[in-house]
Amino acid sequence: ETVLTQSPATLSLSPGERATLSCRASQSVITYLAWYQQKPGQAPRLLIYDGSNRATGIPARFSGSGSGTDFALTISSLEPEDFAVYYCQQRSNWPPTFGQGTRLEIK
Amino acid sequence: EVQLVESGGGLAQPGGSLRLSCAASGFTFSSNYMNWVRQAPGKGLEWVSLIYAGGASYYADSVKDRFTIFRDNSKNALFLQMNSLRPEDTAVYYCARGGDYHDSPGYFFEWGQGTLVTVSS
């Protein structure tokens, strides 16, 4: 199965700063990659799919990029509600798999 | 508004069984892929099972031959029958909409709040 490795494990930033989270796949997933946000005690929420398409209702400060094996999620200017755990997920190679997550914490 | 509400979780003994349910509303259930995704306490996300609109089903290797996914399109309901439960099946189980049948499956567009399954003696 395709292994997704996210980095860093934890990212400490302040509100207003720019965040860049990385996801690397063990084999090409073309652009079939999604990003999810999960806050404590809540279900995950889809942010980005097909590498760069924002899901319904997702603010424009969230953007996705990449293709093949290297992908990034960028949050242009952090809001207080953005501090959470972020997961990447691929659907190119069956079964669908998730990365281990990046915790974005307030510095 | 899409709503997914899971139920049926609880405590089960190793080797026991549980059936999870997911009540769906706010979209055309019968034309959507549906999934179960789980999350062990303090851990990451793991896809468990997918069912197509027409009923074809797929499973993670970790649950194959023990879990069965099925749906009742007349009641907008999704189910997961879990047999031969193991302690490592302990997790929050989420029901997740996988998109319309015109698209390819594999993403999880909306999620329920989850139901906790604990397997312990």
Side-chain angles (χ1 to χ4, degrees), chain B residues 48 58-67 86:
Chain B
V48 172
Y58 301 86
Y59 300 92
D61 286 346
S62 58
V63 306
K64 200 173 295 182
D65 300 325
R66 299 189 298 122
F67 290 10
R86 304 167 179 169

Side-chain angles (χ1 to χ4, degrees), chain A residues 89-100:
Chain A
Q89 177 250 326
Q90 66 83 26
R91 72 159 197 188
S92 179
N93 309 309
W94 205 256
T97 52
F98 291 88
Q100 83 281 11

Side-chain angles (χ1 to χ4, degrees), chain A residues 41-105:
Chain A
Q42 296 186 15
R45 177 175 69 146
L46 177 67
L47 301 174
I48 301 287
Y49 64 97
D50 287 349
S52 60
N53 294 330
R54 272 190 302 277
T56 303
I58 301 304
R61 65 180 181 273
F62 291 92
S63 63
S65 62
S67 64
T69 61
D70 290 295
F71 295 83
L73 173 71
T74 300
I75 310 171
S76 59
S77 179
L78 286 165
E79 298 287 341
E81 62 267 28
D82 297 336
F83 292 91
V85 178
Y86 291 83
Y87 295 94
C88 59
Q89 177 250 326
Q90 66 83 26
R91 72 159 197 188
S92 179
N93 309 309
W94 205 256
T97 52
F98 291 88
Q100 83 281 11
T102 289
R103 179 178 305 277
L104 178 56
E105 64 176 28

